[in-house]
Amino acid sequence: MDRLRQLKSHLTSSAGIVALEAKRPDDIVITMAVRSPLCKSKKGAFKDTRSDELLTSVFKAVVKKSRIDPALIGDICVGEVLASGAGYEARGAALAAGIPISTPVQVINRFCSSGLMAVTTIGNQIKAGQIEIGLAVGIESMTMNSDRGAQKPSDKILAHGTARDCKEPMGWTSENVANDFGVAREEMDLWAATSFQRASHAQLSGYFKDEIVPIEAFNAPAGDEKRERVWVTEDDGIRHGTTAEALGKIRAAFPQWGGKTTGGNASQITDGAGAVLLMRRSKAEELGLKVLGKWVTTAVVGLQPRIMGIGPSIAIPRVLEMAGITINDVDLFEVNEAFASMMVYCIKTLGLDKDKVNVNGGAIALATGARQIATGLAELRRRKQKVLVTSMCIGTGMGAAAVFVNEDLD
């Protein structure tokens, strides 16, 4: 019976891959997937660049890289979480960057999945026939817009046993995952060290050069008479030479909740952006644009807010089922690494091959969001492999995952 199940799974998977790799005129394809350098909040190369200035520079860079007339862009969707005036910022930055007044802009916020939600929104608009070409951007300046947490909820929400957990800090959820599922501090530090080591190797080997676009920034705060424009070309938050032993010496960030999460095994606080240009395959062919890959589908799920970190363990199986493939069909996984606790849990629970997960580092060393798509597709091209799954946990108790196919195999 087990052998029959294995055979059925193999046949189903093979059929799914064949369908996934088929090329159709109405496929939603990607002709550009890039990111900015990712820089340390308050200390890195973007610390003196306002978030609207950063977004303006990103728009300028991606329009230049896209090789299309920006007037052809039917809509722009910007994923941004922390900026209080994100809608004003996004529209103003697009216009200041030279994007025509006729190109509309929207913003979306689903916490750490906002960049992926921007891609999904644009993909669905194209699929529905509302636009032909769209630009998805994910951006955050945590220097300029730090996370101040939730406002005090109403008494009605506070009285609800589950709803009140939505306001709790992310560190609390990390400790809950570690405590509820028996994730050890040593396991967390080991994975965090692996993330830094992989990112270090990737940077030193030049792997990130194809996915990064140079970004114009500033070397002093606004109003400073010595302020000048500078070009930022590489990540500055990767900690070279990191070891699990060194991470093990870092004091606990949240001893009141368990004491396993630290500044060394949690995601970095980063300034940066990613961008993806999408259109129908038929439109890309009409414009003579090279297709880098295609977006297949996205899944979003809900779960208990108190253990929001395990979201990928639910979202990944859901999106694989939607795409008609299995875990074994996936060549690379890009999972967000909000905390090492959730990474250790998700890898174990899903039975993922660690050699396929965040092979160039994750958010502990870099960042999450649309960056995952640029990094994942670039690495698939380098390896001449095909299937990418990106995934992330989401604050307040959600998870998201998406499937992409690399078509740049030359």
Side-chain angles (χ1 to χ4, degrees):
M1 184 64 71
D2 288 341
R3 176 60 182 155
L4 287 174
R5 275 197 292 266
Q6 290 174 358
L7 182 60
K8 180 180 178 182
S9 175
H10 175 72
L11 291 173
T12 302
S13 172
S14 298
I17 282 293
V18 170
L20 206 66
E21 294 177 354
K23 297 180 180 180
R24 303 175 181 85
D26 61 350
D27 287 336
I28 310 302
V29 301
I30 295 168
T31 60
M32 181 195 69
V34 295
R35 66 174 179 88
S36 76
L38 302 169
C39 300
K40 292 180 289 187
S41 170
K42 303 186 185 302
K43 297 179 181 179
F46 292 138
K47 67 181 178 60
D48 295 316
T49 304
R50 292 166 46 103
S51 53
D52 58 349
E53 291 172 331
L54 178 59
L55 185 53
T56 301
S57 294
V58 168
F59 278 139
K60 287 181 178 179
V62 299
V63 167
K64 182 179 179 181
K65 181 77 173 180
S66 72
R67 294 176 49 230
I68 68 166
D69 179 349
L72 295 175
I73 300 173
D75 201 359
I76 298 172
C77 185
V78 177
E80 190 169 12
V81 180
L82 298 174
S84 59
Y88 299 104
E89 193 170 275
R91 175 65 168 163
L95 294 174
I99 293 173
I101 196 170
S102 57
T103 300
V105 180
Q106 59 179 309
V107 296
I108 193 166
N109 178 358
R110 189 177 267 162
F111 298 106
C112 287
S113 72
S114 297
L116 176 59
M117 292 302 104
V119 170
T120 303
T121 297
I122 291 296
N124 283 332
Q125 285 179 270
I126 296 170
K127 188 179 291 188
Q130 296 170 347
I131 60 174
E132 288 190 305
I133 299 173
L135 178 64
V137 176
I139 185 167
E140 213 65 61
S141 172
M142 298 192 76
T143 295
M144 298 295 165
N145 308 301
S146 57
D147 188 355
R148 297 178 178 85
Q151 295 181 346
K152 184 180 178 180
S154 67
D155 291 341
K156 191 167 187 178
I157 287 178
L158 290 173
H160 189 283
T162 302
R164 67 182 176 217
D165 289 343
C166 291
K167 68 174 176 53
E168 297 296 341
M170 293 296 96
W172 177 72
T173 71
S174 174
E175 297 292 348
N176 288 341
V177 170
N179 296 332
D180 288 8
F181 302 109
V183 179
R185 164 75 186 267
E186 293 75 16
E187 294 178 286
M188 294 164 63
D189 288 340
L190 181 60
W191 180 262
T194 299
S195 183
F196 280 115
Q197 290 161 8
R198 289 176 173 180
S200 175
H201 177 264
Q203 185 178 50
L204 296 175
S205 300
Y207 294 169
F208 294 143
K209 289 182 179 179
D210 288 343
E211 65 195 64
I212 293 177
V213 289
I215 297 296
E216 189 178 57
F218 293 92
N219 64 352
D224 190 317
E225 61 181 16
K226 296 182 180 179
R227 194 181 204 223
E228 295 179 347
R229 297 176 186 273
V230 295
W231 286 95
V232 182
T233 59
E234 62 180 27
D235 307 320
D236 65 21
I238 299 170
R239 301 175 195 169
H240 301 284
T242 299
T243 65
E245 291 74 23
L247 293 178
K249 297 176 183 178
I250 299 175
R251 70 175 185 271
F254 312 107
Q256 70 274 34
W257 297 318
K260 297 177 182 178
T261 303
T262 74
N265 62 31
S267 56
Q268 287 213 45
I269 300 174
T270 302
D271 302 335
V276 181
L277 187 68
L278 301 103
M279 62 190 73
R280 289 187 188 275
R281 185 184 301 279
S282 56
K283 190 65 177 179
E285 291 173 349
E286 176 189 326
L287 296 174
L289 297 174
K290 183 176 183 178
V291 172
L292 302 181
K294 69 176 176 180
W295 167 70
V296 179
T297 191
T298 299
V300 186
V301 300
L303 61 144
Q304 288 288 335
R306 67 179 303 278
I307 51 171
M308 68 93 202
I310 73 168
S313 70
I314 304 170
I316 289 174
R318 176 75 60 84
V319 82
L320 293 177
E321 182 180 7
M322 290 166 61
I325 58 175
T326 72
I327 279 178
N328 293 331
D329 296 319
V330 181
D331 294 304
L332 292 178
F333 292 88
E334 285 283 335
V335 184
N336 67 323
E337 289 185 356
F339 300 97
S341 57
M342 54 77 59
M343 281 300 300
V344 172
Y345 173 84
C346 290
I347 288 170
K348 284 184 176 180
T349 300
L350 295 173
L352 300 182
D353 180 348
K354 292 180 182 178
D355 290 334
K356 292 183 175 183
V357 182
N358 297 357
V359 296
N360 290 330
I364 288 173
L366 296 164
T368 190
R371 189 280 307 173
Q372 294 175 306
I373 303 167
T375 300
L377 287 178
E379 183 60 18
L380 285 175
R381 288 196 295 274
R382 195 179 72 82
R383 294 176 175 225
K384 299 190 184 303
Q385 294 178 325
K386 293 186 178 180
V387 182
L388 168 69
V389 167
T390 68
S391 186
M392 63 283 295
C393 56
I394 305 170
T396 71
M398 292 176 280
V403 176
F404 299 88
V405 177
N406 169 42
E407 293 189 8
D408 188 3
L409 298 168
D410 298 336

